[in-house]
């Protein structure tokens, strides 16, 4: 156009800032994205923290197993060596047979202890091969109680059984027997001379509950917190290995169950 005889060009220049444009158009998206990022990062850190905690706990238990094994091997190995030296210089056949019998017995103790440690280590690592089957719990209770009858008789103790009829469970029979045996063994070791041990099993809702109850001196609060730890023997422990109740805990965990100890003061 010509205005007063001059030529004019009318132009409009727009300067775009993509960051400001994005911030204006997506002002709700960025806070939401930041929140999602924070949540995801927190979840990842939590998972890594739990995994690290489990690894540290596994490593702690592994060291305890190693220390416990080393401690438990000292006595039988010393006995084996001592009787081996006696056997080497002994000419009497009767005494040689006696010494040989002791060496074999102590060797079996070492072998059993090592096997128990290896099994517990596999349980803790989650690599123990479960041999699941359906079996009668009453037959298992009867078998284990019969095995400990001689030890109970030495303390004039009686083992009483109360198992629900036709009670079957789907589990590893060998491990369930091992857990029950550890409970009964402890009940005998720490039970009052001439007292009774009650073993019961029944269904509670959709779970099977096995209880071993004895009479004896109450466990101290300090010991009660640690009885499930590997290698812990307690202030009143005898010659135990310190892995019995730790094995019970691992067995229950493998089967998706739980274990516990309840103290009842009969004087109150």
């Amino acid at each position: 156009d010509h205005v007063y005889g001059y030529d004019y060009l009318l132009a409009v220049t727009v300067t775009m800032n993509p960051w400001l444009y994005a911030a204006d158009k997506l002002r709700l998206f960025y806070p939401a994205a930041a929140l999602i990022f924070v949540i995801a990062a927190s979840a990842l850190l939590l998972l890594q923290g739990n995994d690290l905690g489990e690894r540290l706990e596994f490593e702690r238990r592994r060291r305890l197993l190693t220390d416990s094994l080393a401690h438990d091997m000292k006595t039988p190995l010393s006995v084996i060596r001592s009787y081996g030296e006696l056997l080497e210089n002994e000419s009497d056949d009767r005494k040689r047979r006696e010494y040989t019998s002791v060496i074999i017995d102590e060797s079996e103790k070492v072998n059993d202890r090592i096997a128990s440690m290896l099994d517990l280590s596999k349980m803790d690592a989650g690599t123990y091969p479960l041999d699941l089957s359906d079996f009668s719990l009453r037959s298992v209770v009867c078998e284990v109680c019969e095995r400990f009858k001689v030890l109970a008789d030495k303390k004039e103790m009686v083992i009483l059984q109360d198992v629900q009829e036709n009670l079957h469970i789907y589990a590893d029979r060998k491990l369930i027997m091992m857990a029950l045996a550890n409970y009964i063994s402890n009940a005998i070791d720490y039970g009052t001379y001439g007292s009774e041990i009650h073993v019961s099993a029944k269904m509670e809702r959709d779970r099977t509950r096995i209880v071993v109850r004895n009479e004896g001196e109450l466990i101290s609060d300090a010991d009660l917190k640690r009885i499930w730890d590997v290698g812990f023997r307690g202030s009143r422990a005898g010659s135990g290995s310190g892995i019995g109740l730790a094995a019970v805990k691992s067995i229950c965990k493998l089967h998706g169950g739980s274990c516990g100890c309840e103290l009842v003061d009969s004087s109150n």
Side-chain angles (χ1 to χ4, degrees):
D1 294 326
H2 298 281
V3 181
Y4 303 114
Y6 295 95
D7 293 332
Y8 288 89
L9 176 61
L10 182 62
V12 177
T13 301
V14 179
T15 302
M16 291 290 295
N17 188 319
W19 293 106
L20 293 177
Y21 178 81
D24 179 63
K25 295 298 181 180
L26 303 175
R27 56 180 177 271
L28 296 180
F29 170 78
Y30 286 120
L35 180 61
I36 293 174
F37 175 78
V38 170
I39 294 174
S42 299
L44 182 61
L45 289 175
L46 181 61
L47 290 175
Q48 289 182 339
N50 291 338
D51 184 56
L52 179 60
E54 290 179 358
R55 291 182 182 180
L56 291 175
E57 176 62 17
F58 175 74
E59 181 62 23
R60 184 187 72 84
R61 288 174 66 86
R62 187 190 66 79
R63 288 199 304 269
L64 287 174
L65 277 173
T66 304
D67 293 343
S68 180
L69 180 62
H71 178 273
D72 293 337
M73 293 302 101
K74 289 180 180 179
T75 300
L77 290 177
S78 297
V79 172
I80 290 172
R81 177 171 180 173
S82 298
Y83 275 85
E85 292 172 349
L86 291 173
L87 182 63
E88 185 179 23
N89 301 315
E90 184 57 60
S91 58
D92 187 299
D93 289 341
R94 185 182 61 80
K95 288 187 176 181
R96 288 177 67 88
R97 286 193 297 271
E98 179 185 341
Y99 297 159
T100 301
S101 178
V102 173
I103 291 174
I104 293 174
D105 289 342
E106 293 298 321
S107 298
E108 289 178 350
K109 289 180 182 179
V110 172
N111 184 68
D112 291 343
R113 191 60 52 81
I114 292 175
S116 298
M117 293 286 189
L118 290 175
D119 286 344
L120 183 56
S121 180
K122 290 178 182 178
M123 292 178 202
D124 285 345
T127 59
Y128 189 92
L130 287 174
D131 183 15
L132 300 175
S133 63
D134 182 275
F135 58 89
S136 168
L137 194 54
R138 171 170 286 189
S139 66
V140 167
V141 172
C142 289
E143 185 176 341
V144 176
C145 289
E146 184 64 28
R147 185 194 306 173
F148 284 93
K149 186 177 185 303
V150 174
L151 292 178
D153 289 343
K154 288 182 178 180
K155 296 184 67 173
E156 296 186 8
M157 303 174 78
V158 179
I159 302 178
L160 303 177
Q161 304 173 38
D162 180 18
V163 183
Q164 181 179 324
E165 291 186 12
N166 301 320
L167 180 57
H168 283 245
I169 61 174
Y170 187 71
D172 189 308
R173 193 175 192 275
K174 175 186 173 183
L175 293 185
I176 296 301
M177 291 184 67
M178 184 188 300
L180 182 58
N182 276 311
Y183 269 135
I184 295 178
S185 175
N186 274 273
I188 295 174
D189 288 343
Y190 301 106
T192 302
Y193 190 92
S195 61
E196 296 179 344
I197 295 175
H198 296 262
V199 182
S200 64
K202 61 181 180 179
M203 285 292 295
E204 291 186 354
R205 298 179 182 176
D206 60 340
R207 313 280 288 183
T208 302
R209 181 177 175 86
I210 303 173
V211 178
V212 177
R213 179 168 56 87
N214 74 336
E215 301 172 15
E217 183 180 345
L218 294 179
I219 304 173
S220 68
D221 292 337
D223 286 355
L224 187 60
K225 296 177 181 178
R226 301 184 57 196
I227 59 175
W228 309 103
D229 292 345
V230 177
F232 181 71
R233 290 175 170 82
S235 57
R236 296 186 292 122
S239 58
S241 64
I243 66 171
L245 293 181
V248 170
K249 182 179 180 180
S250 295
I251 290 170
C252 291
K253 184 179 179 181
L254 279 175
H255 287 83
S258 60
C259 57
C261 177
E262 297 178 2
L263 303 183
V264 178
D265 191 347
S266 58
S267 63
N268 294 329

